[in-house]
Amino acid sequence: MIRPAAPEAAGEQPLAAYLQARRAEVEDALDRYLPVTPDCPEPLAEAMRYSLLAGGKRLRPVLTLATADAIDPDRGAALAMPAACAIEMIHTYSLVHDDLPAMDDDSLRRGRPTVHVAYGEAMAILAGDGLLTEAFRVLARWPVTDDPAVVDRKLRTVERVAAGAGAGGMVGGQVLDIQPVDAAAARRQPAAARAALRAMHERKTGALIRAAAGAGAIMAGADKATIAAVDAYAAHLGLGFQIVDDILDVEGDTAALGKTAGKDEAAGKVTYPSLVGLEQSRVLAAGAIGDARRALRAGGLKGGRLAAIADWVLARTN
Ligand code: GRG
């Protein structure tokens, strides 16, 4: 959409190959972490697999792994893989619940019928519950270790992920999103409306993206200052991601997105394009990605894939 992705450093594989390889590793690991019968009743196991192994960009787990790679290229990704998968399980649960008739009432996700359409509402609620709960089992159990330093990292990761996903993070953001909006008031007070929109997205979308990057940093053994730099990067990245999401809802098509396009306008939602127009939305998205790159430089995190991932988030078409 805006500018080319960052050039690879000499000897590095292209970003697309890196993303593809990391996604494949995540999908293998997700498959291993998912509960199976007879412990898990068959219909629940099936609905959880249906939602979790249905593709998706895998932005959050790849971000966890790329952050860990940037900090400890040798061991970081292996240490962070369980957290990466747990975050994707939480993200997927949020999509399953968001699609329910009581929330967004959508019938298409990741290019196929939503879980409640395929398995019924009760099973969709329970599949989401199962994914959320199993995510915390994965965080607590893996990597299996007696090393007190790694045990400490796991505990800090659990706290950070719970904060990103919970009442002060994604769940709280969803609550703000379902409050009725006064579109006329938003038009009268555009600055206040924009601040409210940003605050909602910081929680609903941004908090889990921050937790994804933060988990990678913590599991790879980053110091406090580096964790803070990663957090600043991810906060800007989350905002950029969301603005692009709003733009794609207007400009994208349902087949490419794998979810229903044009829903925001149909639902009368306040979005970046509805508040500031498409052109200014693009400027804001590029600004957020520029801020993300600056946060990396300020934190001395120049190596690795994080800058290129920021460019990819801006350029994405689905
Ligand atoms: C139900 C507790 C609860 C929360 C739902 C994330 C969320 C909160 C709702 C999803 C609705 C939505 C369209 C949010 C905008 C940004 C977003 C999170 C898009 C979906 O994430 P992607 O694009 O999806 O990373 P894939 O399928 O690629 O993983």
Side-chain angles (χ1 to χ4, degrees), residues 79-92:
L79 288 166
M81 180 59 88
C85 290
I87 288 161
E88 183 66 12
M89 291 163 89
I90 293 170
H91 167 61
T92 303

Side-chain angles (χ1 to χ4, degrees), residues 56-57 60 91 93-94 98 110 174 204 241-242 245:
K57 292 178 287 300
R60 294 154 193 80
H91 167 61
Y93 117 76
S94 81
D98 185 63
R110 293 177 165 172
Q174 178 77 349
K204 186 177 124 173
F241 175 87
Q242 182 59 55
D245 207 73

Side-chain angles (χ1 to χ4, degrees), residues 101 133 209 249 290:
T133 314
I209 290 178
D249 188 72

